[in-house]
């Protein structure tokens, strides 16, 4: 389980179930287990107005260096 945080203010955004050892490039909606802020309906912003992800069809395309991911990834 990974915790995605804003890189600017360190606010926790959501918990994410990452499978595989690669980088977090996309966050699929079905793998977000818990929102720690109010769930957005458009692009993903932190409360400090830092843009973290761009909403696509079934996922957020994450913006590199705008977030920090901490926790353990599930091995394939």
């Amino acid at each position: 389980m990974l915790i995605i945080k804003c890189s600017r203010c360190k606010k926790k955004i959501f918990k994410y179930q990452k499978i595989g050892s690669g980088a977090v490039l996309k966050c699929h909606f079905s793998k977000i287990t818990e929102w720690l802020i109010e769930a957005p309906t458009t692009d993903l912003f932190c409360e400090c107005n830092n843009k973290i992800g761009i909403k696509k069809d079934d996922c957020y395309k994450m913006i590199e260096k705008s977030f920090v991911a901490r926790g353990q990834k599930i091995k394939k």
Side-chain angles (χ1 to χ4, degrees):
M1 183 74 61
L2 293 179
I3 295 179
I4 306 296
K5 297 192 284 186
C6 174
S7 64
R8 185 183 297 168
C9 70
K10 306 301 184 214
K11 172 93 174 142
K12 294 179 182 178
I13 308 296
F14 59 82
K15 292 182 180 179
Y16 185 69
Q17 191 69 48
K18 171 78 168 105
I19 299 173
S21 60
V24 180
L25 302 175
K26 296 180 182 177
C27 288
H28 294 273
F29 301 141
S30 61
K31 294 182 183 176
I32 296 174
T33 59
E34 181 182 354
W35 282 98
L36 304 172
I37 61 169
E38 186 177 332
T41 56
T42 59
D43 290 348
L44 181 58
F45 286 89
C46 180
E47 293 174 353
C48 70
N49 210 26
N50 183 22
K51 190 171 187 177
I52 296 173
I54 301 166
K55 185 175 182 177
K56 298 292 182 182
D57 294 332
D58 63 341
C59 65
Y60 287 111
K61 182 179 179 291
M62 302 302 281
I63 298 171
E64 189 177 355
K65 298 187 180 182
S66 68
F67 70 97
V68 178
R70 296 284 183 239
Q72 292 183 342
K73 301 173 184 176
I74 297 174
K75 295 180 182 179
K76 281 188 176 179

